[in-house]
Amino acid sequence: MTKLLSRGLAAAMGSFMLTFGAGAASAQAETSAAPKISEVQRTVTATTTMFSNAVGSVFGAQLDPTQIDAARVAREAAWLRTAGWPLYALADRFGTGAQLTEEANCIAVAVYHEARGESLEGQIAVARVILNRAASGKYPPSWCDTVKQPWQFSFVNPRTGRYPSVDESSASWRKAVGVTRLAIAGAYPSVTEDVLWYHATYVSPSWGRRLSRADKIGTHIFYRA
């Protein structure tokens, strides 16, 4: 990282010296005594932009787009919540914008298929379970692999890992995207980090009796170990 930054800075400074040197030679050749202020300003502006781009490319290559987006959502959502925005307004606000990364998209697809008929609080809880599982060490470490793990989510084909398409023009998808961004950013209260399981109220799996019930949100019951 240090070597990469050094090369970026050296390139920018080298360009500055070449530009400045050429500008100085040109100025000496001028017979007019009036200073070329506009040319100097253009040189400084161009060099500053070049320097910023060089540094930005060095650092930007090291940053996870999901982390960048999550940090932005966390800051903005905190301010909006302080201003009185309810959850439905936040989900709508963050349901548009740049396309989700592949990993974040897997969570949104899961929210869409597993909980689009639930309240937004229930949808965030489903998203949090996926995040919790991936971070727990008990499940695959990536969000997509956690979602596609065989026999874990009913909408996923356990043999191929494929799932049905989503209607990206629908309000349900927009909510799922907004909820996913809020969940990844930890921007809205939801189930705690130790909650790794849930099931619908109309089923009664045997594993539920071995776990500690954490919460019931809508038609989903959530559990911790």
Side-chain angles (χ1 to χ4, degrees):
M1 175 66 180
T2 301
K3 292 182 179 178
L4 184 59
L5 178 57
S6 297
R7 288 198 293 270
L9 294 177
M13 292 305 296
S15 298
F16 173 79
M17 294 304 295
L18 287 174
T19 304
F20 183 78
S26 176
Q28 289 175 356
E30 288 287 344
T31 58
S32 172
K36 304 274 186 188
I37 296 177
S38 60
E39 292 183 6
V40 174
Q41 289 175 333
R42 284 196 296 271
T43 299
V44 172
T45 300
T47 306
T48 301
T49 300
M50 187 185 303
F51 180 83
S52 298
N53 289 341
V55 175
S57 65
V58 170
F59 283 103
Q62 309 300 316
L63 297 177
D64 182 345
T66 301
Q67 294 177 338
I68 297 173
D69 189 48
R72 177 188 64 82
V73 171
R75 289 194 303 268
E76 187 174 338
W79 186 88
L80 292 174
R81 288 186 65 204
T82 300
W85 279 44
L87 178 55
Y88 72 83
L90 293 174
D92 186 68
R93 165 67 185 87
F94 296 111
T96 58
Q99 186 175 1
L100 294 175
T101 64
E102 181 180 0
E103 288 291 308
N105 190 73
C106 284
I107 297 180
V109 169
V111 170
Y112 177 87
H113 286 297
E114 289 278 298
R116 67 177 179 269
E118 296 294 305
S119 66
L120 292 174
E121 287 83 359
Q123 292 183 33
I124 286 183
V126 167
R128 284 301 317 174
V129 165
I130 297 169
L131 293 166
N132 291 347
R133 284 188 176 191
S136 69
K138 300 178 180 179
Y139 291 86
S142 85
W143 300 337
C144 283
D145 287 346
T146 291
V147 170
K148 295 177 181 180
Q149 189 176 27
W151 312 110
Q152 296 301 309
F153 294 93
S154 59
F155 74 94
V156 178
N157 185 314
R159 294 180 177 82
T160 65
R162 296 180 178 177
Y163 35 68
S165 61
V166 301
D167 180 2
E168 295 188 358
S169 66
S170 66
S172 295
W173 175 247
R174 178 170 175 163
K175 290 177 182 177
V177 170
V179 159
T180 296
R181 285 198 169 104
L182 291 168
I184 291 173
Y188 198 87
S190 187
V191 294
T192 54
E193 295 179 355
D194 57 348
V195 175
L196 304 181
W197 303 275
Y198 70 89
H199 66 74
T201 55
Y202 48 82
V203 298
S204 182
S206 59
W207 53 260
R209 293 190 289 272
R210 301 192 300 269
L211 302 172
S212 174
R213 178 167 167 166
D215 204 352
K216 177 182 177 297
I217 306 175
T219 61
H220 284 143
I221 301 174
F222 296 84
Y223 296 87
R224 60 172 61 92

